[in-house]
Amino acid sequence: MLSWVAMERIYEHEVLPDAKLRKQAGERPLRAHAKRLTDGELLAKLRSFGIEIDRAWLGRECARALSAQEIAGPLMDQSTSRGQESDWIWICVATLWRRWFPEQPSFEVLDDKMQAGYELLKTSGAVAACRIWLEAWHDVLRLLDKAGIQSIEGFDERFRGTQSLFNWIQDLESELWNAGLDDRQFLSARIAMCEEAMRRFPSDDSLMVENRRRAMAESYFELDETDKAEALYREWLDADPCWGWGWIGWSDCYRFTRTERVDLNRCEQILREGFAIADVRDCADIADRLADVCEEQGRDEEAKEFRRQSERRATAVEVSRTVSSAGKVLRQKTGVNFGGAGLPLSELSNVAGMLRETPTVPLTRQKVGRNEPCPCGSGKKYKKCCGA
């Protein structure tokens, strides 16, 4: 379920401009209506609903709550008023919080800053958007500390905003790069944000972590800290030499850069080192990059050979397994990716050979815990799927 601030935004942007929808939904009070009211008038509005509060009481509530909605919900339950007019209770609390305790971030203010950034991105560009988004990121960190939340998923479960933190944090990282091309301080901010996100969310999925690492190294390189970028990639790839897009990201530093460090020889050297790793992931993408680099240097025959290797590597056997928290394999599925062009009949025997070479894991029949992944492969917990 969306938060009240997100639902209000939908009403403002989707319902109000449409006369038919507005007639169906009816008129409702908005936070914008409260801006012209004095503090005394807002408190009087609350008293009209049978709610008596003062600054000291609200200060204590704001110190513990993450949103005005958390405070207003119980107050609405106490009030005898119902319907859209009771929205004034939340509106008054949210407005007074913002006026009296601006140093205390709330989900409502965070949501406003996120959306203001998206609007600025459309009208004024990345620099203007990132200025307010960095304020929003500071608010996110304070809210995480306040609630003791240690994951993006945990934050989004409580936030339920117009935009999820999961999506927004990726937009922030991307736009900090764009802003950094105009003002280098945003590249430093991008590095700091990625470092903080990796520190706070160590259990994020591997793709998120890998993308943050690439963003950090890319930013260091653009800031002319080449040695730092080189050291980071070497450290990460020594730990995980099969990270295909790590090799690609490292090589791209020497190919796609505004600095004077464009070096196709170094780029190719990095790609060849990654390509030589026996089980490197996304090997076809590395081969494509090598083909591009060869073409840019006028070595067309080598480029064609790498294109052929890319097409061959695109045929891959993928094994997915559902594993219990105890490490038992509950379900195994083998799939074959033939690439965009399909598989010639002459290659069928090779595919059969690949499947024979694919290691199999004996499936273990056992009692499945209620909170473990369902063996049917739905992705849901067992208690909410076949065990319901």
Side-chain angles (χ1 to χ4, degrees), residues 3 7 12 18 89 92 168 214 263 274 280 284 303 348 362 375:
S3 64
M7 289 190 288
E12 285 182 299
D18 188 311
I89 297 173
C92 290
W168 175 79
R214 289 180 60 197
D263 185 343
V280 68
L348 279 175

Side-chain angles (χ1 to χ4, degrees), residues 265-323:
N265 289 329
R266 177 64 178 140
C267 172
E268 182 177 348
Q269 178 188 21
I270 294 167
L271 288 170
R272 286 184 178 275
E273 184 178 351
F275 194 65
I277 304 295
D279 298 319
V280 68
R281 300 187 295 277
D282 302 303
C283 188
D285 295 309
I286 299 178
D288 271 332
R289 278 293 206 282
L290 278 166
D292 292 340
V293 172
C294 288
E295 284 177 353
E296 289 172 21
Q297 298 178 86
R299 291 149 46 203
D300 293 342
E301 289 305 313
E302 286 184 71
K304 289 178 183 177
E305 176 56 30
F306 278 121
R307 297 279 184 223
R308 284 192 288 269
Q309 292 194 51
S310 174
E311 291 173 4
R312 285 200 298 271
R313 302 287 181 118
T315 302
V317 177
E318 299 175 354
V319 179
S320 61
R321 295 171 185 141
T322 302
V323 184

Side-chain angles (χ1 to χ4, degrees), residues 319-323 329-334 358-361 363:
V319 179
S320 61
R321 295 171 185 141
T322 302
V323 184
V329 176
L330 305 176
R331 181 173 180 268
Q332 176 174 308
K333 180 172 68 175
T334 302
T358 302
T360 58
V361 177
L363 302 187

